[in-house]
Structure formats: structure tokens, C-alpha cells
Amino acid sequence: MKHKKLLAALAGICVLAVTSCTEKTYGPLPTEDQLAWADMEYYMFCHFGPNTFSGLQWGLGNENPDIFNPTELDCEQWVRTAKEAGMKGIILTAKHHDGFCLWPSKYSTHTVAQSAWRDGKGDVVKELRDACDKYDFPMGVYISPWDRNHPAYGTEEYNRIFAGTIEEVHKNYGPFFEQWFDGANGGADIPDYDWPLFHKAVYDNSPHAVIFSDVGPGCRWIGNESGYAGETNWCRLDVEGFAPGKQAPSQEILNTGQSDGAEWIPGEVDVPIRADWFYTTTNESTLKSLDELMEIWFSSVGRGSNLILNVTPDQRGLIPYADSVRLMEFKAARDAYFAKPLASCTGKSRKAVLKVKEPSKCIVLQEEIKYGQKIKAFTVEALVGDNWQQVASGTTVGHKRMLQFSSPVNASKIKVTVTDAFAKPMLKSVTVY
Ligand code: FUL
């Protein structure tokens, strides 16, 4: 035992020594949890609740709980669909703005327990937890602070009720990889939310959760719901004096982050696969096309953000056939596009030169973000015959930067040069397709 402890201590010292003599860090750094979260890249959002049955997108909170009545709920189908779509997790709207809780909460009288669905014994959050456990799939949760049903909403007491609600969900169904806090409140004055109390309720029960909101602290809203991060996208943001909702930084700032921001708060792109967040009987025609989804892929994950793509379980409680077909088409298209790396290298600083033998269409860069985000500008050149020609250029890299060439590049070599950086840059990988 002693021996083991000594070895562990020595290993710790070695790690420290290695860290101190590798790349100099710059600015705020991601936590281990934020690094693991960045690697997830793509996960499912599920908006499900009374709105699924009423056709509303923002339920008023006075809906009869009996309206919630999925006839064939199967959370395993959601999880299998997400997995087969190449997603790395799933986040459920456990409580949306209408206040209806998809689990039998003791903090509310507007829950599945008050509905006739399964005689008040149903619990969607538990079913999804069980399905995620069965398929070993990370689960996250959306719990809306804005509550159009709760009688205490807007009072000081609501802060404690809401913290209790968060605790209840995380304790009984967690731990979760992400907690989603929506900034929306329908334009009304936002009460004085006790964010530190809410965060504590999350971390006490899901210590590795990344908390999403307009201002983090784990990850930030990207400033639009159309599927794109800024071409320049910093993982840094100043949040001092800001809060989710009306007091958030401008949407432009959220879209690009801030080069000199004080905190590490990377962007997350949230976008619905249909025009709406919740299923309606008529919104199937708004299902995004494969081309639109591919474009979203390049402008979200391809710009250093994570992508949370919303699907809408229907009134049966199943992901509709058309949506799941589209998700599979999207997966197949990405697999085909990235099937054949033509050349790649790892661990370069300012320059990487790769030999290629076939025409290329795209380059994917990754920065070693555990030391901070440093790259400010880079160029991509191609050796065509005896001439180097610039075929692409960009600003930030971050977790991942994908650049598609305007036409196939027939070159013998591709060169990436970091032309401007905070401190010594580190390209984790460069891959040409
Ligand atoms: C918005 C909400 O108001 C929408 O209903 C949806 O939940 C979306 C993800 O966030 O702010």
C-alpha cells in the first residue's frame, strides 16, 4: 500500500515536471471537464412536454396536465437514434417555461404525477436515465428557471424552490454531463435569480457537469439559434457584471467570444432540426435538409463549438421517422466526407507541411487548447507544380477548425502557417481530406 502511494506521489511529481517544461500557457485554461466536453462535439437536444400536444412553443403554464399523454413513450428509441446518429449524449427538457415537470417533483403541483398519463405514475426523466444507463450514454438536463406555472415564481422564495428542483433532478437522476439554463423569459422582468445557489445545486450532485447559459460558467450560448458560431470564435468571455437573459453580453459578442476575455467559456451551438423546438403536427415540412445540416456542421463544430441538435419526440413519445432518417443521412454524409484522410500530422507549432497525393477538399486543424487558445491567424498554402498558392486562411482554431477549399486542390504539398498568435501556438493535429 505504502509502495503504491509512493509511486502515485512520484507520478504526480513527474506530471508536474512535464507540465512545467512544455508549452507556455496563455490566458484562462479549460478545466478537465470542459476539455472532455469539447471532445463530445455533437449531442441531441430533446424538447418534449405539454407543448408537444398543444402545438404551442411556449406553454402558458395553465395547461391541463392531462394533455401530456404520450401513447408509446420509448426513451430507448431516443438514445439508440442519438447513438446511431453519431451523437455523444442527450439533453432533455425536464422542465420548460410552462413549468411542467417530466418527473414527479415535490416542488411543483404541475407534473407528470398530476397527469392521467400512466395513472400519474409515469416518469420521463427516469425512463431516459435508465435508457442512458442501458446504452452507456451521457445524459444532460434542461431545467428552465422561467416558470409560468409556479405560484412562487418571481419571489425570493422561488430561488430556494428552484435550487431544490435542480438538486432533486440531479440527485435522483444524475450525474449529468451538462446542465442547460435558458436565458429566455418572454420579455418580462427577470427576477433576481440566485445563480451561485443554482450552480451549487448542480455541482453538489453532478460535480463534472458543464453548465450552459448565456454566460456559462461551463459553456456559453452562441448568440443565435440558426446553427453558426463566429468564423472567429474565442473560448474566452468576460462575464463580470453580466447574467443570463437580458443582462447577457450582446449576441455579437456571444457569437465570437472575446480574444481578451477573462474566463474560459466555449460556445455551444443550439439549433432545432425542425423550425420549432417542440413537435407540432404540421412542422415536419420544416425539417432541415441534408445540405443545411452539413452547412451547420461546418459552421458549428467546424468553428470550434459544440453542436446540440434538437429533435422533437412526437405525441407517441417517439422520434418521428422522417427526423431519424434525416439524422442517419447526416451521419452517412459526414462519414463519407471524412472517410479518407489524405495526410495528417500532430504536435506542430507554427508550421506544418503535409505531402498529399490526391486532390484535397478540406483541411481540419485542432489546437492544443489545454494550454489556452492562442492562434489568432493562419494561412493554408498548396504547392501546385512549383508554386505555392494560398488556398485558405483563417483566424481562430480552438478545439477544431474545418476549412473547405472553394475547389479541389491538386497539390503535392499543403502547408499551414500560424501567422499570428498569443504566446507559442501548438497545433494538436492537422488533417487534409
Ligand atoms: C430558447 C427557448 O425559449 C426555446 O423554447 C428553446 O427551449 C430554446 C433552446 O431556448 O431560449
Side-chain angles (χ1 to χ4, degrees):
M1 193 60 201
K2 260 192 184 164
H3 187 62
K4 268 195 187 158
K5 275 192 182 156
L6 185 65
L7 276 181
L10 280 175
I13 291 168
C14 292
V15 169
L16 279 179
V18 171
T19 312
S20 63
C21 66
T22 54
E23 297 304 307
K24 223 176 90 200
T25 66
Y26 179 82
L29 303 180
T31 62
E32 287 294 323
D33 295 326
Q34 285 172 315
L35 283 173
W37 171 90
D39 283 337
M40 292 178 73
E41 291 186 352
Y42 175 44
Y43 29 86
M44 185 179 274
F45 216 167
C46 270
H47 274 62
F48 189 53
N51 294 340
T52 308
F53 302 86
S54 67
L56 297 177
Q57 293 298 317
W58 278 2
L60 302 172
N62 60 1
E63 290 77 21
N64 184 333
D66 289 348
I67 196 176
F68 182 79
N69 187 23
T71 48
E72 297 171 46
L73 179 72
D74 182 1
C75 293
E76 290 191 17
Q77 186 246 14
W78 306 0
V79 171
R80 279 196 307 272
T81 306
K83 258 196 146 166
E84 279 166 31
M87 294 166 159
K88 298 291 188 285
I90 183 166
I91 298 183
L92 169 67
T93 53
K95 172 173 91 106
H96 201 252
H97 309 322
D98 56 21
F100 187 81
C101 300
L102 296 182
W103 76 102
S105 176
K106 68 174 184 205
Y107 294 96
S108 168
T109 52
H110 192 54
T111 82
V112 280
Q114 282 76 43
S115 80
W117 176 59
R118 293 188 182 164
D119 295 328
K121 303 270 179 322
D123 184 340
V124 184
V125 185
K126 176 162 188 339
E127 281 207 33
L128 184 59
R129 171 81 268 166
D130 291 347
C132 286
D133 286 349
K134 175 166 172 185
Y135 289 96
D136 192 20
F137 204 56
M139 178 173 166
V141 74
Y142 166 119
I143 312 174
S144 173
W146 183 29
D147 191 318
R148 304 178 96 177
N149 172 272
H150 207 289
Y153 183 75
T155 68
E156 177 49 36
E157 193 201 347
Y158 180 76
N159 278 329
R160 285 186 300 281
I161 292 170
F162 189 58
T165 308
I166 297 167
E167 185 187 62
E168 182 180 59
V169 177
H170 281 256
K171 199 177 255 169
N172 294 338
Y173 310 102
F176 299 118
F177 79 93
E178 183 169 328
Q179 164 67 53
W180 228 88
F181 284 127
D182 203 319
N185 81 321
D189 277 344
I190 299 182
D192 207 2
Y193 289 137
D194 190 342
W195 287 107
L197 187 69
F198 304 162
H199 293 171
K200 186 175 179 321
V202 172
Y203 292 137
D204 279 354
N205 300 285
S206 294
H208 299 293
V210 165
I211 297 181
F212 169 101
S213 84
D214 292 342
V215 292
C219 63
R220 71 171 195 272
W221 185 44
I222 209 66
N224 64 74
E225 293 175 340
S226 323
Y228 66 94
E231 280 192 66
T232 296
N233 182 14
W234 295 102
C235 295
R236 292 188 284 267
L237 190 71
D238 282 328
V239 294
E240 191 69 46
F242 292 97
K246 276 194 196 159
Q247 290 158 274
S250 73
Q251 288 172 235
E252 289 73 29
I253 287 180
L254 292 176
N255 194 235
T256 58
Q258 289 165 299
S259 64
D260 56 355
E263 313 285 336
W264 183 273
I265 307 179
E268 182 184 89
V269 171
D270 63 315
V271 58
I273 198 164
R274 297 187 178 198
D276 308 306
W277 292 96
F278 285 90
Y279 172 87
T280 73
T281 50
T282 54
N283 63 11
E284 183 177 311
S285 62
T286 65
L287 196 54
K288 289 192 169 52
S289 69
L290 183 55
D291 284 350
E292 284 174 301
L293 291 174
M294 284 303 275
E295 209 178 307
I296 286 172
W297 185 258
F298 283 101
S299 59
S300 56
V301 178
R303 293 182 183 170
S305 280
N306 278 6
L307 170 62
I308 176 167
L309 181 62
N310 185 71
V311 300
T312 61
D314 59 18
Q315 296 178 352
R316 296 169 303 167
L318 299 174
I319 293 171
Y321 180 72
D323 304 53
S324 81
V325 168
R326 187 55 41 81
L327 288 172
M328 299 314 142
E329 289 169 348
F330 182 31
K331 165 81 160 60
R334 294 194 317 278
D335 286 351
Y337 190 96
F338 296 107
K340 194 169 169 197
L342 301 177
S344 68
C345 68
T346 54
K348 300 286 173 192
S349 178
R350 285 193 183 271
K351 203 162 275 188
V353 183
L354 295 98
K355 285 191 185 158
V356 275
K357 292 206 176 94
E358 287 175 50
S360 51
K361 60 188 173 192
C362 171
I363 190 160
V364 178
L365 313 177
Q366 286 201 277
E367 187 171 354
E368 191 63 271
I369 53 172
K370 67 179 171 192
Y371 302 122
Q373 192 183 4
K374 301 177 198 165
I375 299 173
K376 285 195 226 181
F378 64 90
T379 58
V380 183
E381 293 162 279
L383 185 61
V384 181
D386 294 332
N387 295 322
W388 282 104
Q389 305 171 355
Q390 185 169 311
V391 288
S393 66
T395 50
T396 52
V397 174
H399 170 69
K400 198 169 263 186
R401 184 77 174 97
M402 303 174 188
L403 285 169
Q404 292 181 281
F405 304 140
S406 50
S407 56
V409 173
N410 211 338
S412 54
K413 286 181 184 169
I414 301 273
K415 178 165 72 184
V416 176
T417 311
V418 175
T419 52
D420 198 5
F422 292 112
K424 192 178 173 194
M426 167 72 94
L427 285 164
K428 186 176 180 182
S429 70
V430 178
T431 311
V432 174
Y433 294 89

